[in-house]
Amino acid sequence: MSENSNKNVPADAGMAIYEEIVNSIDSGSGSLDQLICDLKHADPNGQFLCSTARFLSAVDRERYAEYLPTLIEGAIEKDRERRYLGQLLKAIWGDDYAQRVEELCASDDLFRRLHKRAFATGTFD
């Protein structure tokens, strides 16, 4: 994913890019790598990054596994108010993630980072 290629993406295009991702899943049209790169640029608060991660996981977690870390890391970075991050835990790691927090934190760095951010106290700069 080229960071330079998304300079012309409007900062308010998150919904349109999310819709393009959703609509292109069945047809296979479009480059998912590029769309996700554009979405990272256009999503100011992580809402569409979280929604895309949840959507791809629901459609076929194994098929889209390579894209999930990029989406989740982008959401961790952008969702400073923690409005959308909590939804990812259940959607990506399952309904029983709360009973497996210690195990998942020890074995999955992405889960650990997401859980730490979602349940953090205080503010982030």
Side-chain angles (χ1 to χ4, degrees), residues 39-40 43-53 67-89 92-93 105 108-120 122-125:
L39 187 60
K40 283 177 64 177
D43 188 356
N45 59 11
Q47 175 183 6
F48 300 111
L49 292 164
C50 286
S51 294
T52 302
Y67 303 104
L68 295 178
T70 302
L71 291 163
I72 294 168
E73 289 168 359
I76 290 170
E77 178 184 317
K78 295 203 176 215
D79 189 5
R80 297 291 183 179
E81 295 178 15
R82 301 182 300 256
R83 295 191 324 204
Y84 310 105
L85 293 177
Q87 301 167 0
L88 284 176
L89 293 165
I92 304 297
W93 285 276
C105 281
D108 189 331
D109 188 53
L110 192 56
F111 175 86
R112 183 191 56 76
R113 290 179 54 219
L114 178 60
H115 188 269
K116 183 178 178 180
R117 177 59 67 90
F119 293 102
T123 60
F124 299 95
D125 294 326

Side-chain angles (χ1 to χ4, degrees), residues 8-20:
N8 295 325
V9 176
D12 62 350
M15 182 61 166
I17 296 167
Y18 172 76
E19 288 176 347
E20 190 173 347

